[in-house]
Amino acid sequence: MPRIIVERTFEAPFTQQELDAVEARMAPCLDLYDVRWIRSYWSSDRLRMICEYEAADIASVRNVQHEADARFERAWAADVLGEP
């Protein structure tokens, strides 16, 4: 399945409580659209985040983000370096 990268930026440092709330809203949407979260990275200042998902297509990941009210700037398909 393709890997999809989602880029996010925040005006103020994103808190753990905000992240927990987004994750709770996103959980049912992931199942609904058959999307699997792989990992996320926060910048040290918590103003930027990169999230990696596995999904059939970008549209599925975008639908999850929209339905969970998870703001993002970009979503794009990626190839993992070093994987066949």
Side-chain angles (χ1 to χ4, degrees), residues 3-6 8 23 36-42 49-54 80 83:
R3 298 285 174 94
I4 310 299
I5 305 300
V6 173
R8 308 175 196 283
E23 287 176 343
R36 184 175 72 93
W37 172 80
I38 298 172
R39 69 182 60 91
S40 295
Y41 297 94
W42 260 344
M49 181 182 276
I50 300 288
C51 302
E52 180 181 356
Y53 298 90
E54 190 175 71
V80 178
E83 283 190 6

Side-chain angles (χ1 to χ4, degrees), residues 12-42:
F14 203 58
T15 67
Q16 185 63 50
Q17 288 175 326
E18 291 169 316
L19 179 60
D20 293 344
V22 170
E23 287 176 343
R25 292 192 308 265
M26 199 174 285
C29 301
L30 292 170
D31 290 337
L32 179 65
Y33 289 99
D34 195 27
V35 172
R36 184 175 72 93
W37 172 80
I38 298 172
R39 69 182 60 91
S40 295
Y41 297 94
W42 260 344

Side-chain angles (χ1 to χ4, degrees), residues 37-78:
W37 172 80
I38 298 172
R39 69 182 60 91
S40 295
Y41 297 94
W42 260 344
S43 62
S44 296
D45 59 9
R46 293 189 176 188
L47 293 175
R48 291 173 302 282
M49 181 182 276
I50 300 288
C51 302
E52 180 181 356
Y53 298 90
E54 190 175 71
D57 52 39
I58 296 171
S60 297
V61 174
R62 285 185 176 139
N63 287 336
V64 167
Q65 307 306 308
H66 289 299
E67 289 195 25
D69 195 27
R71 289 186 26 244
F72 68 99
E73 280 71 46
R74 284 175 219 63
W76 43 276

